[in-house]
């Protein structure tokens, strides 16, 4: 796509590509700011809001007809930006609720859920979105849309959905005064052996212990 065509696209706020790119850019900027840890008390509610808004863009991409890229092979966008600092910042910011249990595919029976980390999820989502943004900023709008659609279906969509469920559950536990199971024994480095193993790893943690640091109050607080 020529620079002139790209410029024209950016001038039309009703254009599908512009709307998707704006939503994705907004998410990248907002989540990167949250990772700095300047406002830790609002981190969880803010992430809940941002991921919810991102999944609206994902839903539009998923419902859209298949986007076919202009070129047979994907153009090189150069080295991927490092996300290790963002991952580590979120791991520290979300401790002790970073780890959660997830079932990858609701249509594929599993003996037990697996352990995931919200910090890993956010880093993976940002990586996918930045990759498409590199195409978009390079004037390859169709390539960007193809990548965002493909990776929404294959990676960042399921990942964002899982992280959203974890964050929503966390907010619900706190706001409804429902104690959380202790996650100290649940680790992504170990594979739980069935439901009983998960139950053995779980203890009791009062929501009040995390509500203050994470900036949330109960529904009757």
């Amino acid at each position: 796509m020529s620079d002139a065509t790209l410029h024209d696209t950016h001038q039309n706020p009703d254009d599908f590509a512009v709307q998707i790119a704006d939503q994705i850019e907004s998410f990248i900027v907002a989540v990167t700011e949250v990772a700095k840890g300047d406002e830790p008390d609002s981190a969880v509610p803010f992430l809940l809001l941002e991921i919810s808004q991102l999944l609206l863009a994902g839903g539009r991409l998923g419902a859209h007809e298949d986007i076919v890229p202009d070129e047979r092979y994907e153009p090189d966008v150069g080295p991927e930006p490092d996300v290790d600092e963002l991952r580590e910042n979120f791991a520290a910011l979300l401790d002790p609720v970073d780890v959660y249990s997830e079932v990858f595919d609701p249509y594929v029976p599993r003996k037990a859920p697996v352990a995931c980390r919200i910090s890993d999820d956010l880093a993976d989502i940002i990586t996918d979105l930045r990759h498409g943004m590199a195409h978009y900023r390079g004037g390859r709008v169709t390539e960007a849309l193809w990548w965002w659609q493909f990776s929404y279906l294959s990676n960042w969509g399921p990942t964002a959905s899982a992280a959203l469920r974890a964050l929503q559950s966390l907010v619900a536990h706190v706001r409804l005064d429902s104690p959380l199971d202790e996650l100290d024994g649940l680790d992504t480095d170990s594979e739980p052996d069935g439901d009983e193993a998960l139950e053995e790893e779980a203890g009791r943690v009062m929501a009040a212990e995390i509500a203050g640091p994470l900036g949330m109050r109960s529904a009757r607080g």
Side-chain angles (χ1 to χ4, degrees):
M1 177 174 285
S2 68
D3 291 339
T5 305
L6 179 64
H7 178 75
D8 290 341
T9 300
H10 277 287
Q11 295 302 307
N12 182 5
D14 295 327
D15 186 87
F16 178 77
V18 174
Q19 293 177 354
I20 295 297
D22 284 348
Q23 288 179 279
I24 288 175
E25 175 72 6
S26 176
F27 177 84
I28 294 173
V29 171
V31 171
T32 302
E33 285 298 312
V34 175
K36 295 178 181 179
D38 294 336
E39 298 183 16
D41 290 348
S42 61
V44 167
F46 198 81
L47 289 173
L48 180 70
L49 176 62
E50 288 300 322
I51 295 178
S52 297
Q53 292 177 333
L54 175 67
L55 284 171
L56 173 59
R60 295 182 66 192
L61 286 164
H64 198 281
E65 63 183 6
D66 288 348
I67 298 169
V68 180
D70 296 328
E71 302 180 33
R72 182 176 180 182
Y73 298 103
E74 182 183 6
D76 184 18
V77 296
E80 299 286 354
D82 183 43
V83 294
D84 285 344
E85 183 178 358
L86 181 142
R87 188 194 317 271
E88 293 168 1
N89 287 349
F90 272 122
L93 189 62
L94 297 172
D95 182 66
V97 294
D98 189 27
V99 181
Y100 67 97
S101 296
E102 166 64 3
V103 175
F104 283 122
D105 191 331
Y107 289 102
V108 178
R110 297 183 62 90
K111 293 182 179 180
V114 296
C116 302
R117 292 181 182 274
I118 298 174
S119 55
D120 289 341
D121 293 344
L122 291 168
D124 290 346
I125 294 166
I126 290 290
T127 296
D128 276 348
L129 298 181
R130 281 177 174 171
H131 186 88
M133 189 59 69
H135 285 306
Y136 187 80
R137 289 173 175 165
R140 298 179 294 275
V141 175
T142 303
E143 188 73 37
L145 289 174
W146 171 83
W147 171 258
W148 284 327
Q149 184 185 62
F150 167 77
S151 57
Y152 165 75
L153 297 172
S154 64
N155 188 48
W156 72 260
T159 301
S161 297
L164 180 65
R165 287 196 298 273
L167 291 165
Q168 190 276 337
S169 178
L170 176 60
V171 171
H173 275 292
V174 175
R175 299 292 293 275
L176 300 177
D177 292 317
S178 175
L180 284 169
D181 290 333
E182 187 174 6
L183 299 178
D184 290 342
L186 182 60
D187 195 345
T188 54
D189 294 331
S190 61
E191 287 293 335
D193 184 15
D195 293 336
E196 293 183 359
L198 285 177
E199 293 172 358
E200 291 175 359
E201 292 171 345
R204 304 294 285 176
V205 167
M206 296 303 295
E209 296 179 5
I210 61 172
L214 295 179
M216 293 179 290
R217 298 176 298 177
S218 69
R220 295 181 180 270

